[in-house]
Amino acid sequence: MKKKIAVIFGDGIGPEVTRQSVNILNTVARVYLHEFEFVYCLMGAEAIDKTGNPLPDETITACRNSDAVLLGAIGHPKYDHDPRAGVRPEQGLLQLRRSLQLYANIRPVTTYPALQRLSPLKAMQTEGVDFVIFRELTGGIYFGKKERDEEQTRASDECVYTRSEIERIGHLAFQQAQQRRKKLTLVDKANVLETSRLWRKVVQEMADGYPDVEVDYMFVDNAAMQLIVNPKQFDVILTENMFGDILSDEASVIAGSLGLLPSASVGDGVALFEPIHGSYPQAAGKDIANPIGSVLSAAMMLDHLGLGTEAEVIREAVAWTLKHNFVTRDIDPVNFYLTTTVGELICEYIGNKVPGQTDEQDTGLRGSTII
Ligand code: IPM
Ligand code: MG
């Protein structure tokens, strides 16, 4: 199969983790006889530095002309504490989501037994956790009218949702629930917000079309608590943009490391895949960042492109590295492996194809204890 993939390295650790994914995709292409063409584009702080624009037009065009987009991370501290900054790297990401109409952000949360010790929750709560968050990504307070008066005494952000915006992501979430444990939880604040009451009404109406899916409704404050107290109860969580942003970061710690989790942002056209972690500037260029979030995002991308077997082999390779403790410093601060080494080991595993064939003695020699 021939596919064109737009790659946006982005800022901070974005380039180094994404490079591992590209190497792994090249290995998959070699082993499974596919052809992946990578088209590199600018976005975020790097794009501002080079062009003055966080999302150059060529990037939008290149993404539109591709089969999928693989993104590293966006953000740089030099913009974070400067309220006068005219342009910010994150604007590039928000504009890209809007331009490509990536209205559903999908974030699966699963736990690995080998990493239980890293979770702030007890094993009893995390064992067997397996849910997916469907976060609306192109509407709500993120994209509503924004105002601030000249005297700097009043500001507002409008939150608007339309029926069609709710329905299009709603269908994706219901369909996903049908393929999973058939439970959908709508998270809202319908006791206070008018937009939430519309979400509830529309989802209630849609539920008739999916009689095999059990639907429940939860206020967002309660959901924030339930995610910690009893995360196992969730299968598919459907929610609006801002609630989804907050809950998905909260949910990410259940697995033990933010560095492990992938995400997909989909619409009706080209889809985008990125790890859920940020640009982690303190670690940039040190070869210590965890590449797994990006690598699993690449696996989600292959699934989306119809290459399920190839996606599965990547996930199997990742599980193998975790099981054998071939992990980066965030997971084991003493006996850790470098970003590039973890990437190479995954390539070797996929290259050999047969599980367990990669020589463990050889891999052991590549461990690092430099702190
Ligand atoms: C995310 C991020 C973004 C968001 C930021 C970088 C604008 O937190 O993808 O969750 O808030 O959507
Ligand atoms: Mg976020």
Side-chain angles (χ1 to χ4, degrees):
M1 200 181 261
K2 206 170 161 175
K3 294 287 173 199
K4 195 190 258 189
I5 299 161
V7 177
I8 303 173
F9 279 145
D11 310 317
I13 58 168
E16 52 207 277
V17 295
T18 313
R19 227 170 266 132
Q20 304 316 312
S21 295
V22 169
N23 291 344
I24 290 163
L25 288 167
N26 277 328
T27 306
V28 166
R30 187 168 47 77
V31 173
Y32 293 88
L33 307 177
H34 300 303
E35 208 179 305
F36 298 143
E37 183 195 340
F38 299 99
V39 181
Y40 294 89
C41 325
L42 290 177
M43 187 168 90
E46 197 201 357
I48 300 177
D49 292 345
K50 290 193 175 146
T51 71
N53 181 353
L55 181 63
D57 290 344
E58 303 87 78
T59 297
I60 305 181
T61 311
C63 291
R64 285 216 177 101
N65 292 335
S66 302
D67 296 297
V69 183
L70 189 64
L71 167 66
I74 296 296
H76 194 286
K78 74 179 173 198
Y79 299 94
D80 286 351
H81 306 295
D82 181 4
R84 288 161 308 158
V87 283
R88 276 176 294 102
E90 289 80 1
Q91 286 168 338
L93 180 59
L94 296 177
Q95 277 171 29
L96 187 68
R97 287 174 180 170
R98 191 77 166 178
S99 316
L100 301 179
Q101 274 299 296
L102 304 171
Y103 55 78
N105 182 235
I106 305 168
R107 297 186 173 189
V109 179
T110 43
T111 52
Y112 295 88
L115 302 181
Q116 157 54 37
R117 69 196 148 77
L118 296 172
S119 175
L121 305 188
K122 298 196 181 80
M124 203 181 71
Q125 282 149 308
T126 63
E127 263 165 29
V129 166
D130 177 12
F131 63 88
V132 51
I133 300 179
F134 275 68
R135 164 190 174 194
E136 202 290 327
L137 204 59
T138 51
I141 200 164
Y142 270 62
F143 292 96
K145 196 159 105 202
K146 298 182 184 305
E147 283 178 330
R148 180 147 37 129
D149 68 3
E150 286 192 359
E151 297 76 39
Q152 311 290 322
T153 53
R154 189 179 178 279
S156 64
D157 295 277
E158 199 178 30
C159 181
V160 181
Y161 268 111
T162 62
R163 172 176 282 269
S164 63
E165 282 173 327
I166 300 167
E167 279 174 350
R168 60 186 182 176
I169 185 172
H171 284 300
L172 293 184
F174 270 109
Q175 283 157 15
Q176 184 66 225
Q178 281 181 321
Q179 285 162 32
R180 295 175 48 99
R181 301 196 306 279
K182 302 187 170 43
K183 184 174 171 193
L184 183 142
T185 305
L186 175 69
V187 172
D188 62 26
K189 190 73 186 172
N191 50 347
V192 178
L193 301 177
E194 208 50 53
T195 41
S196 284
R197 286 192 273 271
L198 181 64
W199 271 84
R200 221 173 247 224
K201 182 174 169 35
V202 172
V203 169
Q204 259 161 12
E205 286 169 15
M206 290 179 75
D208 295 339
Y210 299 89
D212 51 335
V213 178
E214 179 200 336
V215 184
D216 70 356
Y217 303 88
M218 202 179 268
F219 295 142
V220 62
D221 44 354
N222 183 26
M225 185 176 73
Q226 295 296 330
L227 273 174
I228 301 300
V229 176
N230 180 14
K232 251 177 275 191
Q233 70 184 290
F234 296 111
D235 180 19
V236 174
I237 294 178
L238 170 63
T239 192
E240 60 103 79
N241 203 344
M242 180 75 145
F243 297 158
D245 179 46
I246 298 167
L247 293 182
S248 55
D249 265 28
E250 185 192 355
S252 71
V253 301
I254 299 171
S257 170
L258 191 65
L260 292 172
L261 299 183
S263 83
S265 298
V266 310
D268 296 325
V270 63
L272 177 146
F273 301 83
E274 61 174 316
I276 82 150
H277 62 67
S279 59
Y280 192 17
Q282 305 87 323
K286 294 187 180 157
D287 206 12
I288 55 170
N290 193 338
I292 301 297
S294 173
V295 172
L296 291 175
S297 302
M300 284 183 92
M301 180 178 88
L302 293 183
D303 264 330
H304 190 81
L305 295 174
L307 302 174
T309 310
E310 291 81 342
E312 201 45 44
V313 95
I314 293 183
R315 281 190 282 264
E316 198 183 287
V318 166
W320 171 80
T321 59
L322 295 176
K323 186 165 154 237
H324 293 276
N325 214 35
F326 302 138
V327 294
T328 43
R329 212 168 89 164
D330 50 315
I331 295 188
D332 189 336
V334 180
N335 295 305
F336 62 88
Y337 290 73
L338 298 172
T339 313
T340 41
T341 312
V342 173
E344 283 164 17
L345 289 170
I346 295 174
C347 285
E348 282 172 31
Y349 182 96
I350 296 168
N352 288 340
K353 270 208 303 192
V354 184
Q357 241 193 29
T358 295
D359 187 346
E360 277 179 43
Q361 229 171 11
D362 169 47
T363 49
L365 293 175
R366 281 183 267 178
S368 171
T369 46
I370 315 154
I371 304 180

